[in-house]
Amino acid sequence: MQALRSIEVDSESVIRAITPALDPTRHKGQAGNIAVIGGCREYTGAPYFAAISALKIGADLSHVFCTKNAAPVIKSYSPELIVHPVLEESYSVGEENKRSITSKVLAEVDKWMERFNCLVVGPGLGRDPFLLDCVSELVRHARQSNIPIVIDGDGLFLVTNNLDLVRGYPLAVLTPNVNEYKRLVQKVLSSEVNDVDAPKQLLSLAKKIGGVTILRKGNSDLVSDGDTVKSVSIYGSPRRCGGQGDILSGSVAVFLSWARQRMLAADSNSNLSCKNPTVLGCVAGSAILRKAASLAFLKKKRSTVTGDIIECLGQSLEDISPAS
Amino acid sequence: MQALRSIEVDSESVIRAITPALDPTRHKGQAGNIAVIGGCREYTGAPYFAAISALKIGADLSHVFCTKNAAPVIKSYSPELIVHPVLEESYSVGEENKRSITSKVLAEVDKWMERFNCLVVGPGLGRDPFLLDCVSELVRHARQSNIPIVIDGDGLFLVTNNLDLVRGYPLAVLTPNVNEYKRLVQKVLSSEVNDVDAPKQLLSLAKKIGGVTILRKGNSDLVSDGDTVKSVSIYGSPRRCGGQGDILSGSVAVFLSWARQRMLAADSNSNLSCKNPTVLGCVAGSAILRKAASLAFLKKKRSTVTGDIIECLGQSLEDISPAS
């Protein structure tokens, strides 16, 4: 506990430092253009939660790249999102067409790639082998273009089984929950999760994957890039309804983009102890979700669902970093 | 009337006794993971009402297993649900494929089975013979895995014609309305419904099916497991809009799961006169629906619809058992 207290970060200061001023001379896209890769026959809620959360935090544009049959459903949740029905699952693809379809999917996403400030890979992605092969290629393309990538859910399943996809990529963020973290530790460190010295283990894990950033979700959230470890324990809710991880991935994507802009700006002379935009993005995303979840819980108590928390994202950000 | 008064249970105390404390160290799934089997070409509202009610009572995850064409519609009602398009109806299946399709459906559901705390079988299931054959197999699998099963609507049609599916299974709950109860009495007791001594008849009915729990819905709700009879008469609404039975089945599923956890816990020293989790789940589900229906009626009067009642589930639970 002593260790955790000493690494607790002032996450509200981080949010204030990286959230850009609203300036009427800026134009559409400059506050963030995010893409979520996910949504398949089985799952449609998760990519929606991630993409709409990005908008509610303040991104200008939010895209979803999903399978053809998931697209109409995700579109129906909200007209705010741009939903591309491009991915394919094995059951709808003959062996002889796999190559040409992969090329087509890559071409479709590549058309947009340079405009994205961050990808979120994994919410509701499913585990279809052909689809995951396609998404592996997408991750390689994003990496070549130096686009940050937040990886969650089934994206973590993919990456844990193929660590080279992210190894040594400083703009990769992994956001594992309890079970996903356990698998990652077993795979990378060949050991079990150590809760006694959690920060130290997280640090070695991030270092071992070549300095990717890992946000370990839990009662306290822990963030490390292999160089530093931060914890975020403020706010939070005891409600554990499914979908909160999707809010987090979409929020981290936006804050990470903002932190990166801020760090690249010449006039940046912030007093932040950490300058790594992926770590800052994780800290800010964690804090905003925890605050929104606590506000939603105050209103809805046990009946709180993920949509209620999303409705509180705006108020949470406004309380911490007022727009004017 | 004398008889009914003496068996009226303090249902609010039951709710307080079985509702788990909200504890920040718990993780996703521990407050309940429910699956609804239902939803076909004709019906999509009923499985949605049952599944969303489970979340609003406080479950962490809520799944629906329905036919392929029902899935996009149910998904579009809410991104909070996980909807699996796996069931098939006769019109879309050739005779020669029935066996292989049944195996595929079972395999799809079995992948998830062990994670579910309770199944709800029947809301909007329809009566397609091939689909019902498949669902019979699902019920047998759930029973082998010792998963509680709440059976309503067309699930009761299935079970009334094949009582061996539930006979002697103490984790089965049947929730018949007036007509469904009449058919059940005719089939099992070879007699007509006796309203003069309703508790006694319900007791023999439950005993005759080997100790399943039956919630007989009515002006007063009656619950029996063949051993004891309880009545719930508090609150309630004169509005009889369709869909309230679906709220009840989803609510019973969650409370039953909580009661079972509580009864299995070593430190359980509750003063409850009845220790059967299926009876406790029925009593709690009945009371919460009756309270939510009364709150909704106060606001909406004759125009009250099922969605309005669902919106009052959270407040109803909070009034009886505050989250903090």
Side-chain angles (χ1 to χ4, degrees), chain A residues 42 77 239-240 242 302-303 307, chain B residues 20 24 26 55 75 80 84:
Chain A
E42 233 172 343
Y77 292 144
R239 184 78 169 101
R240 293 286 173 271
R302 286 178 201 274
S303 76
Chain B
R26 287 160 66 105
L55 284 181
K75 284 169 186 280
E80 309 285 348
H84 307 265

Side-chain angles (χ1 to χ4, degrees), chain A residues 11-20 258-259 262-263 270-272 280 321:
Chain A
S11 49
E12 299 196 339
S13 290
V14 169
I15 289 175
R16 280 188 286 270
I18 65 178
T19 299
W258 288 350
R262 177 57 56 105
M263 293 301 142
S270 72
N271 291 322
L272 294 170
L280 297 171
S321 181

Side-chain angles (χ1 to χ4, degrees), chain A residues 103-294:
Chain A
S103 310
K104 230 177 97 184
V105 171
L106 285 167
E108 282 283 336
V109 185
D110 280 347
K111 278 197 297 190
W112 296 88
M113 191 71 92
E114 297 289 338
R115 302 188 218 176
F116 294 136
N117 300 107
C118 188
L119 298 191
V120 179
V121 174
L125 193 59
R127 297 192 176 181
D128 180 76
F130 173 66
L131 186 146
L132 291 184
D133 283 348
C134 249
V135 171
S136 298
E137 282 306 314
L138 284 176
V139 168
R140 290 191 190 98
H141 283 218
R143 194 172 165 167
Q144 276 159 22
S145 302
N146 244 16
I147 313 286
I149 315 172
V150 177
I151 296 169
D152 190 42
D154 294 318
L156 286 170
F157 169 80
L158 172 66
V159 160
T160 303
N161 293 323
N162 186 0
L163 284 161
D164 285 337
L165 280 175
V166 294
R167 197 190 301 281
Y169 186 47
L171 294 175
V173 173
L174 315 184
T175 56
N177 63 19
V178 173
N179 288 322
E180 291 155 349
Y181 188 72
K182 189 176 165 189
R183 281 195 290 271
L184 203 55
V185 166
Q186 285 169 340
K187 187 80 179 216
V188 178
L189 301 178
S190 305
S191 68
E192 292 305 313
V193 172
N194 174 357
D195 278 321
V196 178
D197 203 352
K200 195 174 156 197
Q201 188 175 46
L202 179 64
L203 197 78
S204 5
L205 184 66
K207 192 177 281 177
K208 196 82 183 279
I209 316 178
V212 302
T213 294
I214 302 173
L215 195 178
R216 181 193 168 176
K217 299 182 274 197
N219 192 16
S220 286
D221 294 329
L222 285 177
V223 182
S224 180
D225 58 358
D227 205 40
T228 179
V229 191
K230 306 285 181 195
S231 95
V232 182
S233 313
I234 53 163
Y235 308 114
S237 151
R239 184 78 169 101
R240 293 286 173 271
C241 52
Q244 297 185 56
D246 306 311
I247 301 180
L248 182 69
S249 63
S251 307
V252 168
V254 179
F255 283 118
L256 188 175
S257 308
W258 288 350
R260 201 165 168 234
Q261 279 181 348
R262 177 57 56 105
M263 293 301 142
L264 293 172
D267 65 342
S268 168
N269 57 355
S270 72
N271 291 322
L272 294 170
S273 66
C274 166
K275 310 280 186 196
N276 186 347
T278 55
V279 172
L280 297 171
C282 286
V283 164
S286 161
I288 211 78
L289 168 61
R290 297 175 76 101
K291 177 152 175 106
S294 73

Side-chain angles (χ1 to χ4, degrees), chain B residues 6-23:
Chain B
S6 67
I7 58 173
E8 180 73 13
V9 63
D10 179 356
S11 49
E12 298 195 339
S13 289
V14 169
I15 289 175
R16 280 189 285 270
I18 64 179
T19 300
L22 280 165
D23 172 349

